[in-house]
Amino acid sequence: MSALRSSDWASRRVAGWGRALTADMALARPERVADIGRAIAAAGPGGAIARGGGRSYGDAALGAAGFGIELGRLDRLLAFDPTSGALVAEAGVTFADLLAVFLPRGFLAPVTPGTGFATLGGALANDVHGKNHDRVGSFGDHVLWFDLVLASGETRRVTPDSDPELFRATIGGIGLTGVVSTLAVKLLRAPSTAFKVRMAPMAGLEPFLAALEGARAAAGYSVGWIDGLARGGALGRGVLETAEFADPPQPSFRPRRRLSVPIALPLVKRASIALLNRFYAARTGQTGQERIVPAEAFLYPLDALGNWNRLYGRKGFAQFQCVLPDAGAAAGLRALLQAPEREGVPPALVVIKTLGIAGRGYLSFALRGVTLALDVAMTGRTPALLERLADIALDHGGRVYLAKDAALSATQFARMYPQAEKLRAVKARVDPDGRFCSAMAQRLGLMATRA
Amino acid sequence: MSAGTWIIVGGSSAIARACARRVAAAGADVVLAGRDRADLEHSAADLRVRFGVDARVTEFDATNPDAPAALVAGVQQAARPLNLLLAFATMPEQAAVEADRALLRRGFAVNLVAAAALLDSFAPLLEAQGAGRVLVFGSVAGDRGRRSNYAYGAAKAGLAAFVEGFGARMAPAGVSVTLVKPGFTDTGLTWGKRGMALAASPESVARAALAAVAAGRPVSYAPWFWRWIMLVIRLLPGRVMRRLSI
Ligand SMILES: Cc1cc2nc3c(=O)[nH]c(=O)nc-3n(C[C@H](O)[C@H](O)[C@H](O)COP(=O)(O)OP(=O)(O)OC[C@H]3O[C@@H](n4cnc5c(N)ncnc54)[C@H](O)[C@@H]3O)c2cc1C
């Protein structure tokens, strides 16, 4: 019976997950789908941007004009068909929630990012990929339709056929075409609630790439961790994890302990990174090992430590992630792995995966190749490093992932995403006044230049 | 005994939604009553998909004097025992109430009269089934007449007295009646208001409220620490109260 006040604005300082970029924002947090349109209409000139779990690292979910619409309270599951696996849900449903509800019933999101705190809306808007991209593609490949609240306040149901351009502009479209309120996505059958994970030591980049290539066809899931401090012949050494659903029945697991980092404390330093790398390598051993782990622990390893992004201290950190086409990947990866040392910024966490087919969105990240992600603390030299890394990616025909990006220039972006022009054309049609705008869209030159 | 049915009136509020998920998780069917049918349908679908219970929606407008009887008539087929949860309220700004007497009347009509009438309408049914639980959401605002929202507080104070008496009436029939007074809760009502940094989540309020129901407590604060805050506030002399701008 409350008066509809849930589209009131709350003032908050908001940061990307990397905590390096922030914005003072006025946030609406609709509790009913109808309130989304009210919030869009009530946002000031310059427009608003949708926010899901706030797990993108840079400024994709930071408002240029300061208005944000948080979808987290729209977290209801609306329909599920166990025959087809089709799920209809509100956009604020998180992957952790999906896993808790559906894994016991034998279903799992076909594609999930490495954190359960991401929302379905955020996954759609960044067309995210998982550790099984070679086999299943990106999140958008499994989206059957979505309801999009447009700048006009009208809600439109968009399927790949009803309006192919709007569909492709919205999948991976970083929230620039409207606010997704509801979506339908096909879940995957999951024969068990645990994974059999095999960890194998990799002596250097060449064997690592060969093993990843082999895993493309042979393994259900694969992801590699690289010791970013290794040099010379050991460059690119690390551990390859491949995984399949474990055979039922599973042992019962102790519930996961949840710890949280209470304050920003800069603990990620060269020494602690080296220690962690050594620990990880030692755990794997010389010959590798095999373990049965609960799905949650395999898919969302970092979620066990809440607010781990505070470990980089008050200045925060950046993640650089790019994909290089298979052809030039080896040379490109070598250059990418060598660059941080040159700038004197040791990478804390380095992750490598393979990707399969290109995504459906105009700004979808995926293309067939190898993707590398490097986490680096924010220091005076980090911006130069990020620029250098992006140039290396460009030189090898690659592109940087917008979900992680905080640094690309408009020029670099235009060369990496040749279909951006098509997104602009759709935006001119459905959002001519630029009611949806993020700091990222402005930085990358995605907003129409006004006379 | 089966888990029965919870009839949740004012089902769109964040606290009501959280309560609905908890009772449905325990296997109860749910009837969501309120004005915003489209929104309630989403919540009902959510309960069906998540918990496999029967969940449906029925319209209820607290300003309509015929609504309580219609609701009683509409739930005759629902699985027994029936349990009742009241979560509807209207909370206009005190200043707006002072400027518009219609708002003043409406506040009492919804927050007190409609709630009392609804409880009264369900009394025969509850007595006849000889079981069941009633949960009414009151407010800490009802504990003192505060300058900043005494109109709302007065209705909630009246409701508290009504619920206490209603509980005494229901007790011989084995029906428990609980009044839960939430402190600041992180919902659409408080979003954007100052001083809400420590507001409790709707889920934690729901957990505390349903624990109080399960324990058969007549009155409870949620979260628990509000009991102590409100004890202090209730003990403040009127002289002091008048000078505080709370
Ligand atoms: C630990 C960690 C691991 C990760 N692992 C992976 C991974 O393996 N693979 C991968 O692809 N990504 C990964 N990511 C990135 C993450 O999946 C994406 O950034 C994702 O978009 C986050 O979802 P979110 O709900 O937090 O969205 P936000 O960060 O809140 O928003 C992201 C973008 O989506 C838009 N958006 C959000 N909701 C909506 C909506 N309802 N309608 C329209 N637009 C919307 C926003 O405007 C913004 O542009 C990881 C991130 C973290 C922190």
Side-chain angles (χ1 to χ4, degrees), chain B residues 6 84 86 119 123 126 131-137 159-172 174-180 209 212-220:
Chain B
W6 275 89
L84 188 60
L86 266 59
L119 290 170
L126 292 168
R133 303 192 176 281
V134 176
L135 167 57
V136 179
F137 279 101
L159 182 62
F162 188 93
V163 170
E164 187 178 18
F166 188 73
R169 176 179 169 193
M170 289 296 113
V175 177
S176 75
V177 178
T178 303
L179 179 78
V180 171
V213 167
R217 267 199 293 270
V219 185
S220 180

Side-chain angles (χ1 to χ4, degrees), chain A residues 203-206 226-228 230-237 333-335 337-338:
Chain A
L205 191 59
E206 264 69 45
I226 288 179
D227 176 352
R231 290 285 151 260
L235 185 82
R237 89 173 157 215
L333 290 167
R334 192 167 290 283
L337 288 171
Q338 282 163 342

Side-chain angles (χ1 to χ4, degrees), chain B residues 62-114:
Chain B
T63 59
N64 175 2
D66 298 329
L71 185 61
V72 172
V75 297
Q76 291 301 324
Q77 304 305 317
R80 303 299 161 106
L82 299 184
N83 307 283
L84 188 60
L85 189 159
L86 266 59
F88 59 88
T90 171
M91 196 176 75
E93 298 286 346
Q94 177 63 30
V97 174
E98 285 164 23
D100 180 355
R101 189 139 321 127
L103 268 186
L104 178 75
R105 288 181 187 283
R106 190 168 172 276
F108 281 96
V110 170
N111 297 333
L112 177 55
V113 179

Side-chain angles (χ1 to χ4, degrees), chain A residues 1-2 5-6 8-10 12 27-29 31-33 73 75-79 90 97 101-102 105, chain B residues 12 14 17 21 35-36 39 42-43 45-46 49-50 62 88-89 91 93 186-189 191-193 202:
Chain A
M1 279 268 134
S2 57
R5 280 198 260 176
S6 49
D8 281 356
W9 307 96
R12 300 276 154 91
L27 298 176
R29 190 185 59 186
E31 292 187 341
R32 311 180 194 202
V33 170
R73 284 286 163 108
D75 64 350
R76 290 169 291 187
L77 306 174
L78 302 180
E90 289 179 339
D97 192 9
V101 172
F102 287 104
R105 300 186 205 176
Chain B
S12 279
R17 269 187 209 175
R21 279 187 177 164
R35 287 186 306 179
D36 188 343
D39 178 67
H42 275 208
S43 289
D46 182 68
V49 173
R50 282 176 191 271
F88 59 88
M91 196 176 75
E93 298 286 346
D186 184 15
T187 70
L189 279 178
W191 180 252
K193 303 257 180 317

Side-chain angles (χ1 to χ4, degrees), chain A residues 17 49-57 60-61 71 91 112-115 117-119 121-123 125-126 128-130 174-175 178-180 302 308 353 401 403-404:
Chain A
W17 183 246
I49 192 72
R51 292 180 55 79
R55 254 54 187 187
S56 43
Y57 284 66
L71 277 293
T112 173
T115 172
F117 294 111
T119 64
N126 268 320
V128 303
H129 57 272
I174 50 173
V179 179
V180 174
L302 292 169
W308 58 263
K353 286 180 283 203
Y401 190 13
K404 311 294 175 71

